[in-house]
Amino acid sequence: MARVVVVGAGLAGLSAADVLSAKGVDVSVLEAGDDVGGRVRTDVVDGARLDRGFQILLPAYPEVVRRFDLAALDLRPLRSGAFVHQGGRHDLLADPRGGPAAWQGVAAQRVLGFTDLLALAGLSARDWLGPAGAITGSVDRTTAAELKRWRLSDRAVDTVLRPFLSGVFLESELTTSSRFFHFVWRSFARGGAALPAAGMAALPRQLAGRLPEGAVRLGAEVVGVRDDGVDLAGGERVEADAVVVATDGGVAAKLVPGLREPAWHGVTTWYFRSPESPLRDPSLLVDGDGGPIVNTAVVSEAVPSDGPVVQASLLDASIGETAVRMRLAKLYGTHTGDWELLARYEIPHALPAMPAPHRFRSPVRVGGRRYVCGDHRDTSSIQGALVSGRRAAEAVLADLGPAATLLA
């Protein structure tokens, strides 16, 4: 029976291991950290589940549907859309399919004019109803240029789309691939956004739970990769018929000669506990006035917690707690001085950058019996990590031939 070593127990590595194990391959997943998940981790702090950097799941991602038991994740939906704070007002811009409140919000809002609403409706309908090939086969330009092509006004972009998309792409200039923008917008339109009841860590835990007992080894730092195995810190060698490097792009570039590290976008997320919920709605709130907080949400309105929990995500890690509290007070229209600080997560390597034009599928074979996967080889998303892991596993199975499926 073939033996394959997977380096890294993030979503890409666990995805690869899941596919290989299902085909009867003897898989060992070596993880340098103290738990599975990579950048998808959840801590429990004083009764509150805090994701390391605010993240959301798009249940309509094709690979998420394909690979997860969504019912077991106990998904708690967020409102499809967002509140926009602008000029002291809160305007609700939500998917009209969400019911009367969504329609009333669109009718009452003063952020988007009629022309912008029509343009946004046309864009959304194309992405929602059109074939996926219309996205992957389109010309790739920056998201900023694409929004202009759809004739959305500067006001619509600056007060609504830029702050909303900055929280998705983790960059405010909207230089991210327009094809990725349309893919994400399509996924929002087809399934909205949600949070697992147990936090985002439920995703890697579900994948790891399918592997044979003992397949994942924690605290195992790989410092060298060979065609026939890996070297661990401390001198141990692990033999294998193939090696899949499933670390983030920075570590992968150190382990695989010739691989380039991607540019990174970072995020800093603050979590507070408030005496009472400042917004009794499971929605994102974005700052149309251009403040430093790209998005905030009362996450406990979606996932019940021990008291109201508010997250605030910023692209600038240098902004201190006082400034964050002051801006939250403006956004929610309430006093924040007595809010309890639960945690602050500064994540400089949160997402690989995807400036246009971006290649959706980078090779997973890197020579010999070595393979590489991760969101840096696909798209900077949960979808991209999962697809990349599956692609690497399929390449291993194809190259090893009958030996890889001896027990299948």
Side-chain angles (χ1 to χ4, degrees):
M1 182 171 60
R3 185 183 188 196
V4 177
V5 165
V6 176
V7 183
L11 287 177
L14 293 172
S15 173
D18 181 34
V19 172
L20 291 167
S21 179
K23 289 295 185 179
V25 175
D26 179 13
V27 179
S28 294
V29 182
L30 304 180
E31 167 59 45
D34 60 358
D35 202 353
V36 299
R39 282 169 280 148
V40 183
R41 297 280 297 272
T42 303
D43 296 324
V44 178
V45 179
D46 196 17
R49 287 188 174 89
L50 312 179
D51 294 323
R52 296 188 184 180
F54 179 64
Q55 303 174 58
I56 57 176
L57 177 66
L58 302 186
Y61 273 156
E63 200 71 7
V64 167
V65 174
R66 178 176 184 173
R67 304 298 297 281
F68 288 104
D69 179 350
L70 294 179
L73 291 175
D74 190 12
L75 296 179
R76 308 299 175 91
L78 299 173
R79 183 186 289 277
S80 183
F83 281 95
V84 179
H85 175 90
Q86 204 265 336
R89 288 172 48 94
H90 276 183
D91 287 313
L92 176 61
L93 288 171
D95 188 331
R97 295 172 297 170
W103 278 104
Q104 292 167 9
V106 172
Q109 61 84 30
R110 299 181 187 176
V111 181
L112 298 181
F114 183 69
T115 302
D116 283 324
L117 285 174
L118 281 181
L120 197 57
L123 184 158
S124 300
R126 198 289 297 264
D127 287 350
W128 172 35
L129 300 171
I135 294 175
T136 57
S138 64
V139 174
D140 200 14
R141 49 179 66 88
T142 68
T143 296
E146 182 70 356
L147 295 177
K148 187 174 289 294
R149 192 177 76 87
W150 279 88
R151 299 185 179 179
L152 285 151
S153 69
D154 290 344
R155 173 179 168 79
V157 172
D158 291 339
T159 60
V160 179
L161 293 165
R162 188 184 308 278
F164 178 78
L165 293 172
S166 293
V168 178
F169 301 154
L170 302 187
E171 57 95 4
S172 60
E173 298 303 314
L174 303 186
T175 58
T176 296
S177 156
S178 62
R179 287 191 298 201
F180 181 65
F181 157 69
H182 281 295
F183 179 70
V184 170
W185 203 256
R186 172 187 176 91
S187 299
F188 269 115
R190 291 193 159 204
L195 296 171
M200 293 296 286
L203 299 174
R205 290 192 186 283
Q206 187 177 116
L207 292 176
R210 296 179 192 154
L211 300 177
E213 185 176 354
V216 178
R217 180 176 166 186
L218 302 176
E221 181 186 0
V222 173
V223 295
V225 173
R226 298 172 280 107
D227 288 346
D228 59 350
V230 300
D231 301 319
L232 303 185
E236 181 183 352
R237 306 191 96 188
V238 179
E239 305 300 324
D241 297 292
V243 177
V244 178
V245 176
T247 63
D248 69 40
V251 176
K254 296 176 182 177
L255 294 175
V256 181
L259 207 64
R260 294 180 59 186
E261 179 175 4
W264 290 96
H265 294 316
V267 68
T268 299
T269 299
W270 298 73
Y271 287 97
F272 298 90
R273 177 177 281 127
S274 58
E276 57 184 42
S277 178
L279 179 62
R280 297 190 179 279
D281 194 287
S283 297
L284 289 177
L285 171 60
V286 299
D287 191 348
D289 289 328
I293 296 176
V294 293
N295 63 54
T296 176
V298 185
V299 291
S300 53
E301 291 294 325
V303 180
S305 180
D306 185 9
V309 175
V310 181
Q311 74 83 20
S313 294
L314 298 85
L315 303 186
D316 187 349
S318 68
I319 295 176
E321 181 179 343
T322 299
V324 173
R325 287 181 182 271
M326 290 176 62
R327 194 59 196 163
L328 286 173
K330 288 283 188 182
L331 292 175
Y332 287 108
T334 189
H335 177 66
T336 59
D338 58 348
W339 287 12
E340 176 191 0
L341 176 62
L342 293 174
R344 173 186 179 273
Y345 296 102
E346 182 179 341
I347 307 171
H349 292 175
L351 285 179
M354 288 187 295
H358 176 73
R359 185 178 186 180
F360 268 35
R361 299 285 186 270
S362 293
V364 294
R365 293 178 174 91
V366 289
R369 291 291 173 84
R370 294 172 300 152
Y371 307 79
V372 63
C373 62
D375 57 359
H376 57 98
R377 309 302 292 172
D378 202 278
T379 61
S380 302
S381 62
I382 290 171
Q383 164 78 11
L386 295 170
V387 169
S388 179
R390 173 170 57 80
R391 289 174 52 226
E394 290 170 348
V396 171
L397 292 170
D399 294 347
L400 293 185
T405 57
L406 183 62
L407 298 184

